[in-house]
Amino acid sequence: MASVLDPSLGLCDGFSIVEASISDLREALDQGWITSVELVARYLHRIAVYDRHGKLNSIPILNLSVFEEAAASDQRRANGLPIRPLEGIPFTVKDSYKVKGMTVASGSPVFQHLVANEDAFTVQQLRGAGAILIGKTNMPPMAAGGMQRGVYGRAESPYNREYLTAAFASGSSNGSATSTASSFAAFGMAEETVSSGRSPASNNGLVAYTPSRGLISIRGNWPLYPTCDVIVPHARTMRDLLKILDVIVVTDECTAGDFWRDQPFITLPQPSDPDVRPSSFQSLENAKSLQGKRIGVPKIYIGKSEALNNPISTRPSIVDLWYHAKRTLEKLGATVIETEFPLITKHDTVSAINAADSSRSGKDPDHTNKLISDGITEEWNSIERRELVAYAWDDFLIQNGDLACPSLSSVDPSQIFPRPPGSLPDQYTRLGAPIPYSTLVSLVSEGRKSIKLVPGMEAALHALENRLRTFESWLQTENLDGIVFPANADVGRADADTNEASADAAWKNGVLYSNGNRVIRHLGIPTITVPMGIMADTKMPVGLTFAGRAYDDAKLLEYAFAYEEASGNRRAPGGTPELKSDFIRTEAREVPRGASAPKVTIEVQRRTDGSGQSLLKLSGSLEVVDCDGLESLTVTVDGKTVAVSIEDDAKWEMESEVELDSTTGKAEIDKSLVIAFALGKNGRSSAKLILLD
């Protein structure tokens, strides 16, 4: 834990929640330096200052019960109950995750009011381990893109607002990465279909893990391409990631809604298999794991190959960072070998496009046929983007059981992914990857077949497995323990949705997706992405991706841990610096066993003055008898502390009115965030959160 002593702020010895690890926060909670309620309040204060009202826009939906859930965690501690692994630790989830009682729009306006009937499996596991959900993070509609604006807009970069916080064509977990990088929570839960977990992690200096098929249950998450979708944790360090994996990599007996675990054609290892899952992921903290390992780096990603029709041009500042990374790997005992990468040259449709003539698929008319001649037919490619998507979405809605939206047939297809006003057309059709939203709804009917009975599925899944085996045979032939490469070749500019020159650059190979494109996910290849450094010219982070054989996840996690531990490349973003309220004093408060927390309420009084200005005054009640009296009460409106008067430790009231934007119908993230935080003299705390139009 980093100790902080800042006389200019009048701070005693302590540490900041900015960049704080899960271990740091657990120690602070275990030692009584802070309560979970207070920790949540401090993260929410950062969100109020840096995220809301047109700022970073990463957490558009807050969990309005967050303080009650944090208080329940504090009560467990006060009652002397066993401390769970993530007790009191705040986290976020992408808007594609079900959270019981909260909306699950998946960024789409057509599902803005869809209410989840249960927690997604990973949310269940995290909450069961004591973690506290702060809110849901931003994404484009249905995760079918990257930085397109959805019903809640999009998140922005905390590092450099001139650049995108994720790849434009596949970086849909942009809110998760921005919020985690900005220390709005301890960690975030993302998701990936092509590169939507890896890309935002790379652009935000984070750690991201995409698992082998079936290792982390995806039940309760909106699907996109079921053959590709995976859960992706976002963390600031490998140590944090390994703690999260100990909680979520467990067997889920229910397979409904999880394509790979539910399909009958390919047998997958179980998460409980000791050959796949270590008894504890924290046992993988092995700084010497790269000694004697042979690690390949594909030349196409470091500017040393012209093997692709649609070449990748890696930014020189990224190449510079790669050579720093290479030296670190070699110091750790690895041998780094520059290689060709037949996986991509044989199977990646984006790399097969002739960049000079996008009307053709490659250098010769037969190139597309060569790409799909191994069992993945053109008909299956169409089914995978039509029937498979439609059936998976329909199943999700049916299983969710919201009577207001019981199935996909009840949906207006024009509102699934409407183009934002003024935005340029996407280029997925040119890439051979369009989703025909206008026809998806018509593909489902009352008597439609099961998703398991889609024609050609068995042959297609076996073909994907054969491609995976070919990749693994190549690793064996080359005597490689894994491969490593810069996560992306460049970063797109923030105006790529409206500026044609920026769009052309953002849709280039190596920029539109993370390196590896869709092939990595389509074949179920596990990856770990860790920070590789900050580009000297753009001041944007870029990641280093480790990849290898299916179910070699534990080895890859060890390699990534060793590299991260030696390199120390993670840097906090300059756009969200520390606030005075971020510091935790390392001074224990004695909390008696069974101690009660104070209670606080908020009441709102509004009036309109003679000029039509809306004025607001807040007041409320206090109950502090059972907590030995009131130590302090802090009330904030949008991160600004307001003066209050307290009467007999029983009532409080703002000393003056404040002006309030009277615009009605505002998005939740544009509403005023009011927090009343009460600390009792016994060390217990409570808080109340409301949003005001």
Side-chain angles (χ1 to χ4, degrees):
M1 180 184 298
S3 180
V4 176
L5 190 63
D6 190 343
S8 69
L9 295 177
L11 299 172
C12 295
D13 195 43
F15 75 99
S16 172
I17 65 171
V18 174
E19 298 292 298
S21 68
I22 290 173
S23 292
D24 291 341
L25 299 174
R26 267 293 308 264
E27 182 178 3
L29 291 163
D30 292 347
Q31 295 296 328
W33 300 336
I34 197 169
T35 64
S36 183
V37 166
E38 189 173 1
L39 182 58
V40 166
R42 295 189 186 204
Y43 278 125
L44 285 172
H45 186 69
R46 290 184 58 78
I47 291 167
V49 171
Y50 293 126
D51 200 51
R52 298 173 65 81
H53 298 288
K55 296 172 185 171
L56 291 179
N57 201 43
S58 67
I59 307 178
I61 303 295
L62 293 175
N63 175 14
L64 299 183
S65 300
V66 64
F67 281 126
E68 287 74 14
E69 294 170 20
S73 176
D74 288 336
Q75 193 62 52
R76 282 181 61 94
R77 290 179 185 276
N79 291 343
L81 295 176
I83 304 301
R84 298 169 293 182
L86 298 175
E87 193 71 68
I89 304 296
F91 73 107
T92 65
V93 297
K94 189 175 179 178
D95 190 38
S96 55
Y97 285 68
K98 280 189 185 181
V99 177
K100 186 174 183 179
M102 295 183 70
T103 56
V104 58
S106 198
S108 174
V110 81
F111 298 119
Q112 185 174 4
H113 303 295
L114 181 70
V115 177
N117 66 334
E118 62 183 352
D119 286 348
F121 178 76
T122 48
V123 176
Q124 293 174 17
Q125 293 304 120
L126 291 165
R127 283 177 148 176
I132 308 299
L133 179 68
I134 277 193
K136 304 190 77 182
T137 53
N138 218 336
M139 61 183 292
M142 309 311 294
M147 291 302 295
Q148 298 89 340
R149 300 173 197 273
V151 66
Y152 308 122
R154 73 179 192 192
E156 303 295 342
S157 171
Y159 288 89
N160 187 342
R161 290 290 291 267
E162 293 184 7
Y163 292 91
L164 295 170
T165 200
F168 193 86
S170 180
S172 64
S173 302
N174 57 71
S176 174
T178 290
S179 59
T180 304
S182 301
S183 294
F184 296 157
F187 63 93
M189 295 301 296
E191 195 176 354
E192 177 168 295
T193 301
V194 177
S195 66
S196 287
R198 291 176 289 147
S199 165
S202 177
N203 286 19
N204 285 276
L206 297 177
V207 172
Y209 165 52
T210 63
S212 295
R213 290 176 178 144
L215 285 192
I216 303 178
S217 170
I218 201 167
R219 179 169 59 86
N221 285 58
W222 267 107
L224 178 55
Y225 293 157
T227 53
C228 299
D229 300 335
V230 291
I231 296 292
V232 181
H234 277 164
R236 290 185 290 271
T237 67
M238 281 297 300
R239 291 181 189 274
D240 281 358
L241 174 67
L242 297 175
K243 288 178 173 61
I244 297 163
L245 296 184
D246 270 337
V247 171
I248 64 173
V249 183
V250 293
T251 300
D252 178 7
E253 299 297 341
C254 179
T255 61
D258 187 329
F259 175 83
W260 275 104
R261 292 191 308 112
D262 200 39
Q263 55 77 34
F265 308 114
I266 307 293
T267 301
L268 303 181
Q270 292 295 312
S272 57
D273 186 337
D275 292 332
V276 171
R277 188 201 195 281
S279 58
S280 170
F281 280 92
Q282 293 170 68
S283 69
L284 304 179
E285 296 176 359
N286 179 6
K288 298 181 179 181
S289 60
L290 283 163
Q291 288 183 0
K293 298 299 185 287
R294 286 174 50 86
I295 306 296
V297 55
K299 289 187 282 187
I300 57 174
Y301 299 135
I302 57 172
K304 288 194 172 184
S305 174
E306 297 181 358
L308 305 180
N309 273 18
N310 188 10
I312 295 170
S313 178
T314 303
R315 194 180 191 98
S317 57
I318 293 179
V319 175
D320 289 344
L321 290 172
W322 155 246
Y323 283 110
H324 283 290
K326 180 184 178 183
R327 286 193 289 272
T328 300
L329 293 167
E330 290 171 339
K331 287 179 182 177
L332 290 167
T335 300
V336 180
I337 302 102
E338 295 178 0
T339 70
E340 300 300 334
F341 201 16
L343 176 74
I344 297 299
T345 53
K346 288 182 179 179
H347 300 304
D348 181 38
T349 54
V350 172
S351 297
I353 294 170
N354 189 325
D357 182 6
S358 61
S359 65
R360 295 189 297 163
S361 295
K363 290 179 179 176
D364 62 78
D366 296 326
H367 195 82
T368 298
N369 292 331
K370 290 176 184 177
L371 284 176
I372 61 176
S373 63
D374 61 350
I376 303 295
T377 64
E378 294 220 37
E379 181 183 9
W380 175 256
N381 282 336
S382 176
I383 288 172
E384 208 167 14
R385 289 180 170 88
R386 291 168 49 87
E387 282 85 354
L388 214 58
V389 174
Y391 291 6
W393 287 358
D394 194 39
D395 287 344
F396 180 90
L397 292 169
I398 292 168
Q399 291 161 7
N400 188 60
D402 186 337
L403 296 179
C405 188
S407 67
L408 189 61
S409 61
S410 65
V411 167
D412 177 357
S414 70
Q415 293 304 301
I416 295 175
F417 199 149
R419 185 191 301 174
S423 65
L424 296 168
D426 287 334
Q427 299 183 30
Y428 294 111
T429 299
R430 177 177 68 85
L431 301 174
I435 296 179
Y437 297 102
S438 61
T439 62
L440 287 183
V441 171
S442 66
L443 293 174
V444 300
S445 62
E446 192 171 315
R448 74 158 176 87
K449 64 189 70 174
S450 164
I451 196 171
K452 300 175 189 177
L453 300 178
V454 170
M457 179 181 289
E458 182 175 5
L461 297 190
H462 280 290
L464 291 177
E465 286 293 290
N466 289 338
R467 289 183 179 184
L468 176 63
R469 299 286 89 81
T470 300
F471 165 65
E472 294 175 339
S473 295
W474 172 78
L475 288 174
Q476 185 173 2
T477 299
E478 298 294 323
N479 193 24
L480 296 175
D481 295 288
I483 58 173
V484 67
F485 47 87
N488 42 280
D490 206 344
V491 289
R493 287 196 168 270
D495 62 353
D497 56 339
T498 57
N499 181 297
E500 289 190 4
S502 297
D504 287 345
W507 284 88
K508 287 183 176 179
N509 197 9
V511 189
L512 81 161
Y513 302 147
S514 292
N515 283 332
N517 297 341
R518 184 178 177 231
V519 175
I520 296 286
R521 283 280 55 72
H522 211 195
L523 273 58
I525 294 170
T527 72
I528 323 293
T529 298
V530 295
M532 190 169 70
I534 304 286
M535 286 179 266
D537 46 359
T538 66
K539 307 305 179 186
M540 287 288 289
V542 65
L544 184 70
T545 297
F546 291 80
R549 297 170 180 82
Y551 305 101
D552 263 4
D553 300 50
K555 292 179 181 178
L556 295 174
L557 288 163
E558 281 190 314
Y559 301 162
F561 175 85
Y563 171 78
E564 183 216 37
E565 191 82 350
S567 61
N569 287 327
R570 165 73 191 161
R571 296 292 181 270
T576 52
E578 292 173 338
L579 302 169
K580 185 174 180 179
S581 59
D582 292 334
F583 290 91
I584 298 174
R585 296 175 61 178
T586 51
E587 182 177 279
R589 289 175 268 195
E590 294 295 331
V591 180
R593 176 68 64 89
S596 297
K599 296 179 182 178
V600 60
T601 65
I602 303 176
E603 297 173 8
V604 181
Q605 298 169 302
R606 300 172 186 261
R607 73 177 183 88
T608 304
D609 66 13
S611 65
Q613 176 64 52
S614 179
L615 299 174
L616 170 76
K617 194 167 188 178
L618 302 172
S619 60
S621 63
L622 292 163
E623 292 183 27
V624 297
V625 174
D626 293 336
C627 58
D628 302 332
L630 181 69
E631 180 69 27
S632 63
L633 174 70
T634 304
V635 179
T636 60
V637 179
D638 291 329
K640 297 178 181 178
T641 302
V642 297
V644 298
S645 58
I646 300 172
E647 181 182 339
D648 299 327
D649 281 359
K651 296 180 180 179
W652 65 270
E653 184 178 69
M654 283 175 54
E655 294 182 354
S656 59
E657 295 173 313
V658 295
E659 293 184 356
L660 187 68
D661 178 4
S662 58
T663 305
T664 58
K666 291 194 284 284
E668 181 178 305
I669 199 167
D670 294 321
K671 295 180 180 180
S672 287
L673 172 59
V674 178
I675 296 173
F677 173 83
L679 178 64
K681 289 185 176 180
N682 65 352
R684 292 293 308 280
S685 59
S686 69
K688 188 69 177 177
L689 174 158
I690 63 169
L691 297 173
L692 297 177
D693 242 335

